Amino acid sequence: MLIKISAVAVTVLQIAGFAQAAAAAAATEKSSSFVIGDYWKSFKSNVDPNNIKIADIPQTISDDPITQCQYYTPPSNFNFDPKEWPNLWETATSNGMTNTAEFKKIYNAIDWTKAPKIAVRKAGADGSLDMTGYDQSGDPDCWWSASTCTKPKLEGVNEDIYTCPEPETWGLTYDDGPNCSHNAFYDYLEEQKLKASMFYVGSNVVNWPYGAQRGQKAGHHIADHTWSHQLMTTLTNTEVLAELYYTQKAIKMVTGVTPKHWRPAFGDVDDRVRWIATQLDLTTILWDLDTDDWAAETAAAEKTVRKTYDDFIAMGKDGTFKNSGQITLTHEINNRTMSLAVEFLPKIMAAYDNVIDVATCMNITNPYQEDTVTFAPFSPAGSKNATASKAVSSVASSAASSASSVAASVSASVKAPSSSPSPSNVNSVSAQNSVEASAGVQVNPNHVMMAIFAFAAYFI
């Protein structure tokens, strides 16, 4: 009888052991399954964002645009293999990227059944968006290009940032970098202790990695500006995802940080594109003032841009922004836009209490996925930009010198070889797949066996 009891006990022990092993295997599989919110953890960057060293080569120390824009070997901490990236300045699905295991993993981790059923837009022969048949007044899709809508009309989509809430604040932003010839411009920003939100194009980041690293080293707010600078609403879901994903990867691999913010080229975004960006934990940053500086290609056009700058500066003096601030769209696209920025920044600093990046004006202290890089909370300037107002002439003198360096050439472009003119809280999108231990009774196989023997000893 005891032998039978022992056999039964051993059998029960084995069954319990199998069950425990199966449960453990299931838990391991569940906990190791890929979650889209963790996509950035797959980027294995060799760059320490808090300890970036820029090599002293002609391209990084010269103010001559031609010298700066000569090809150079990428830094040793960024290994660029063209086979692993989309073609430069082509839609990010190029070079077979959608067929890679890497991209399929990202794409398949998204529940596309929840994606908004919004049609892909069309562009006309002249490149402008075709809004034929679209209800622009009702704007059901929160299509910024149609109505400048910034508040999504769908649940679970990150709301746009388009203005700074802090009074008397100029939100400093520059699109289309890193420009290969920006040394004098970045020198000036550093001299004036100015930080800006830099919206980097993925193709530029891998093409001019030292330029992107300098932006991070200087403490600017680095953000995503897509891989190839296209009208995002005219792209398919797959193309939108690729444009954002590969720019995120480029910025991470080159600078060591993964942005939480992005800006669509030309501001072209709707709730379909926002939803896809939200899957990558990206929040859209737009603007409420536009200098149109990219258009300053002729004397007449530049005169208009200058007038626009003057008008915006006047708003900082006449009380327009006494209760809240603004975000201004400007560009790093070429030496003309950068020289204009350097020329007008002293006046901007004199007119506004705060000239700061968007992350700071929104009091966002963690603008990246990585918690190793943080921003200081917003701190009011107190007086009317004391540094600028007390020494405008000194700053202007410095600006004139820097503008002279920047304006040495106006032919350097965002992409090589031709230019590409550009007409608070972030919701987490990752599902938590962690396995929680039960708070109830937990059964151990050994306990089962002991119970059986106790039963046998008592009744037999």
Side-chain angles (χ1 to χ4, degrees):
M1 181 61 70
L2 287 176
I3 293 176
K4 290 182 179 180
I5 292 173
S6 298
V8 171
V10 170
T11 301
V12 172
L13 176 62
Q14 289 177 328
I15 293 173
F18 291 150
Q20 188 179 47
T28 300
E29 181 179 358
K30 186 175 182 181
S31 63
S32 62
S33 62
F34 182 73
V35 180
I36 187 60
D38 290 337
Y39 76 95
W40 59 277
K41 295 179 181 178
S42 300
F43 302 147
K44 305 304 179 185
S45 176
N46 295 319
V47 179
D48 178 355
N50 293 308
N51 187 29
I52 290 177
K53 298 185 185 340
I54 308 294
D56 287 335
I57 59 175
Q59 293 90 330
T60 63
I61 61 177
S62 173
D63 282 342
D64 174 55
I66 295 177
T67 300
Q68 293 177 67
C69 293
Q70 294 297 314
Y71 171 80
Y72 54 79
T73 302
S76 60
N77 54 11
F78 173 54
N79 300 313
F80 179 70
D81 182 351
K83 297 191 296 294
E84 298 177 357
W85 298 90
N87 297 327
L88 297 181
W89 292 100
E90 293 182 15
T91 306
T93 52
S94 60
N95 201 27
M97 289 300 100
T98 56
N99 297 322
T100 64
E102 175 186 6
F103 185 79
K104 288 179 178 179
K105 182 179 180 181
I106 298 298
Y107 184 90
N108 293 332
I110 296 174
D111 184 357
W112 292 101
T113 65
K114 297 180 180 178
K117 302 301 187 289
I118 296 174
V120 176
R121 316 295 178 182
K122 295 181 180 179
D126 61 353
S128 63
L129 289 161
D130 182 0
M131 298 186 185
T132 304
Y134 185 74
D135 179 9
Q136 297 184 48
S137 59
D139 193 13
D141 304 330
C142 192
W143 187 9
W144 188 89
S145 300
S147 70
T148 66
C149 174
T150 57
K151 188 170 183 177
K153 299 182 178 180
L154 296 175
E155 296 286 338
V157 177
N158 291 344
E159 187 171 337
D160 301 349
I161 296 171
Y162 67 92
T163 192
C164 286
E166 302 295 344
E168 301 293 353
T169 295
W170 178 295
L172 195 61
T173 73
Y174 295 100
D175 284 14
D176 301 339
N179 185 284
C180 59
S181 64
H182 69 195
N183 288 353
F185 176 49
Y186 276 37
D187 285 347
Y188 177 75
L189 294 176
E190 197 166 343
E191 289 167 7
Q192 300 305 316
K193 297 180 172 53
L194 290 171
K195 303 293 192 301
S197 290
M198 300 293 189
F199 294 91
Y200 284 169
V201 176
S203 290
N204 278 338
V205 171
V206 298
N207 212 20
W208 308 109
Y210 277 130
Q213 289 187 352
R214 177 162 187 190
Q216 170 57 29
K217 181 180 177 64
H220 295 298
H221 171 211
I222 309 302
D224 185 316
H225 198 41
T226 77
W227 179 262
S228 60
H229 203 274
Q230 299 187 54
L231 291 164
M232 290 292 273
T233 65
T234 67
L235 303 182
T236 66
N237 289 352
T238 301
E239 290 170 336
V240 170
L241 179 63
E243 285 281 321
L244 294 172
Y245 172 77
Y246 283 105
T247 304
Q248 292 290 91
K249 178 181 178 181
I251 293 173
K252 169 64 176 183
M253 298 305 288
V254 171
T255 70
V257 295
T258 312
K260 289 184 178 180
H261 303 95
W262 81 293
R263 174 175 281 173
F266 315 103
D268 186 43
V269 65
D270 61 14
D271 279 349
R272 177 179 67 92
V273 175
R274 286 187 187 90
W275 184 88
I276 297 171
T278 300
Q279 306 314 300
L280 298 181
D281 201 10
L282 283 168
T283 293
T284 307
I285 295 179
L286 293 167
W287 57 87
D288 45 7
L289 294 181
D290 185 353
T291 62
D292 284 324
D293 58 344
W294 60 271
E297 296 294 329
T298 65
E302 182 172 327
K303 182 178 180 180
T304 299
V305 172
R306 289 178 176 279
K307 174 67 164 56
T308 300
Y309 260 114
D310 286 336
D311 290 344
F312 293 170
I313 289 168
M315 292 178 185
K317 300 176 180 178
D318 65 12
T320 300
F321 295 108
K322 66 179 180 180
N323 296 320
S324 63
Q326 46 88 348
I327 294 174
T328 300
L329 173 62
T330 45
H331 294 80
E332 188 185 333
I333 192 171
N334 57 40
N335 287 319
R336 183 175 283 104
T337 62
M338 291 187 285
S339 62
L340 284 168
V342 170
E343 178 183 342
F344 282 97
L345 275 168
K347 300 176 184 178
I348 293 169
M349 288 187 286
Y352 287 81
D353 284 355
N354 312 293
V355 181
I356 52 180
D357 62 275
V358 176
T360 301
C361 88
M362 293 297 295
N363 210 30
I364 297 171
T365 57
N366 291 91
Y368 306 119
Q369 295 292 348
E370 298 76 15
D371 59 11
T372 54
V373 178
T374 59
F375 280 33
F378 173 80
S379 177
S383 59
K384 193 69 170 178
N385 206 317
T387 302
S389 60
K390 291 179 181 178
V392 173
S393 60
S394 175
V395 175
S397 176
S398 174
S401 175
S402 297
S404 176
S405 298
V406 174
S409 167
V410 294
S411 60
S413 62
V414 174
K415 66 175 181 177
S418 61
S419 67
S420 175
S422 170
S424 216
N425 295 318
V426 178
N427 296 324
S428 174
V429 299
S430 60
Q432 297 302 316
N433 281 350
S434 59
V435 180
E436 297 182 2
S438 170
V441 177
Q442 300 185 32
V443 180
N444 184 294
N446 294 326
H447 297 163
V448 175
M449 185 173 183
M450 290 175 64
I452 291 173
F453 276 113
F455 176 87
Y458 184 84
F459 290 101
I460 300 177

